[in-house]
Amino acid sequence: MKQEVSEIEANETKCPECGSENIINDQGRGEVACGACGLVIDDSIMDMGPEWRAFDSEQRDKRTRVGAPMTYTIHDKGLSTMIDWRNKDIYGRDIPARNRAQWYRLRKWQRKIRISGATERNLAFALSELDRDSSRLGLPRSVREAASVVYRNAVENKLIRGRSIEGVVAASLYAACRKCGVPRTLDEIAEVSRVGKKEVGRTYRFLTRELNIKLPPTSPVDYVPRFASDLNLSGEVQSKAIEIIGMAMDKGLTSGKGPTGVAAAALYIASVLLGERKTQRDVAEVAGVTEVTIRNRYKEISEEIEMGLTL
């Protein structure tokens, strides 16, 4: 039996019958089968989920016996308890009026003991600031988690002293955006934070050097979906713009140029080619660049790549 299990584990990425790597994991039936020849490799997959079923969120909340997952966006990683502000017990019944003063005191002390020491106070303030900036930028949860990890590493390495919390938070957020492929410009980060663009850039360079964060240069392609969405352009225009950027990169036209300007020019060209024309002013406002920048990038691309367009 042990030999059979070890053989299945060793060949779980390849069919032992035909050698195909098209392996299908059917969680509903508890089987592992080959998608090419149909051989059932294993028919006893263990279900690691809960033993109960729920058909709506209310049932799920009632039957679950665990709390929320651990998160780095809360100073205590979400592992501490919290007394709810509503005056109700676990069964939803109202707490008697004679006990409400006691519950008020318990809540107050609970808030105090959750934050013990200067480091936790720093984290609590910084992570709330990070959450505020992320919300204003509309960033996904993954970026907030990554930014929280960068800030925690900076605290552990004692890189905060002598620098503003807001500046380090903004730099951590900028680094996380680039790491997760959801780029935001320094101007956008500085606009939502309470620090200037120069300080964000300076702190970002300091963190990447001290924490040995290796990030590739931002590609103009990363900005295309967001700019196209803000301009209400179709998927065809996005694909064409990405194709234009690819040709420009092959010819070395993007080297030393701002990625937002290249992305804006490519979107402008693609919109004209596919009959969804947008003015240079509209594109410039969305991309945060000037119309002159778009015209310069347009001329550089059109001189090297035949587009059949006139400015």
Side-chain angles (χ1 to χ4, degrees):
M1 181 65 180
K2 289 183 179 179
Q3 185 178 359
E4 290 178 3
V5 171
S6 63
E7 286 178 359
I8 289 171
E9 289 177 351
N11 298 316
E12 61 183 359
T13 58
K14 187 178 290 187
C15 176
E17 184 71 23
C18 67
S20 172
E21 295 184 356
N22 182 18
I23 305 300
I24 300 171
N25 289 288
D26 190 342
Q27 299 293 337
R29 303 182 63 169
E31 294 179 349
V32 178
C34 174
C37 67
L39 176 71
V40 177
I41 302 171
D42 188 9
D43 61 356
S44 56
I45 298 177
M46 188 177 294
D47 185 2
M48 305 301 291
E51 81 283 1
W52 44 263
R53 292 189 302 171
F55 299 99
D56 55 40
S57 58
E58 186 178 352
Q59 280 189 356
R60 190 177 299 109
D61 292 339
K62 285 182 178 179
R63 296 179 182 181
T64 186
R65 298 187 296 276
V66 296
M70 189 183 74
T71 175
Y72 289 102
T73 59
I74 303 176
H75 71 278
D76 55 12
K77 299 183 182 179
L79 299 177
S80 65
T81 56
M82 183 179 68
I83 300 176
D84 196 12
W85 60 270
R86 292 184 290 266
N87 289 317
K88 294 182 181 295
D89 62 13
I90 191 173
Y91 301 107
R93 295 191 295 260
D94 289 332
I95 293 173
R98 64 178 180 276
N99 295 336
R100 289 184 183 178
Q102 178 186 5
W103 279 99
Y104 174 78
R105 289 193 299 272
L106 286 172
R107 285 193 198 97
K108 185 171 69 174
W109 282 106
Q110 178 71 4
R111 284 195 299 269
K112 288 183 178 180
I113 64 175
R114 283 186 71 188
I115 301 174
S116 58
T119 302
E120 285 204 5
R121 278 197 300 272
N122 179 304
L123 273 176
F125 175 78
L127 295 178
S128 64
E129 185 76 9
L130 190 149
D131 191 61
R132 183 185 69 85
D133 292 349
S134 302
S135 297
R136 293 185 63 185
L137 287 168
L139 296 174
R141 187 78 184 176
S142 58
V143 175
R144 302 184 190 197
E145 292 282 349
S148 302
V149 171
V150 173
Y151 187 86
R152 285 174 181 274
N153 290 338
V155 172
E156 289 173 6
N157 288 275
K158 296 180 172 58
L159 304 178
I160 308 297
R161 182 169 294 178
R163 291 175 175 79
S164 69
I165 292 176
E166 292 87 351
V168 180
V169 165
S172 302
L173 201 56
Y174 179 67
C177 286
R178 292 187 58 176
K179 183 178 180 181
C180 296
V182 189
R184 294 293 186 272
T185 62
L186 283 173
D187 290 313
E188 290 176 298
I189 299 290
E191 186 179 347
V192 300
S193 62
R194 288 175 282 195
V195 291
K197 175 183 174 181
K198 286 186 178 179
E199 184 179 348
V200 177
R202 185 166 55 245
T203 308
Y204 166 73
R205 289 190 294 273
F206 173 74
L207 290 181
T208 53
R209 184 174 65 251
E210 295 297 323
L211 297 177
N212 195 28
I213 300 173
K214 305 293 184 184
L215 294 172
T218 305
S219 170
V221 174
D222 295 333
Y223 290 95
V224 169
R226 182 159 61 95
F227 292 168
S229 176
D230 292 341
L231 289 165
N232 294 320
L233 293 172
S234 64
E236 293 180 1
V237 175
Q238 289 188 45
S239 300
K240 187 65 178 178
I242 292 172
E243 181 186 336
I244 293 170
I245 291 172
M247 291 188 288
M249 292 175 73
D250 291 340
K251 292 183 176 292
L253 301 178
T254 61
S255 179
K257 306 295 190 302
T260 52
V262 176
L267 273 172
Y268 172 71
I269 295 171
S271 68
V272 174
L273 284 173
L274 298 178
E276 298 182 32
R277 189 183 188 110
K278 298 290 181 180
T279 64
Q280 292 179 10
R281 178 176 295 179
D282 292 338
V283 179
E285 287 178 356
V286 166
V289 296
T290 62
E291 296 176 47
V292 175
T293 300
I294 293 179
R295 281 196 289 272
N296 289 339
R297 298 294 88 79
Y298 169 85
K299 288 177 182 177
E300 292 165 0
I301 293 172
S302 60
E303 285 174 1
E304 296 291 333
I305 303 172
E306 184 61 39
M307 292 293 172
L309 290 174
T310 55
L311 190 65

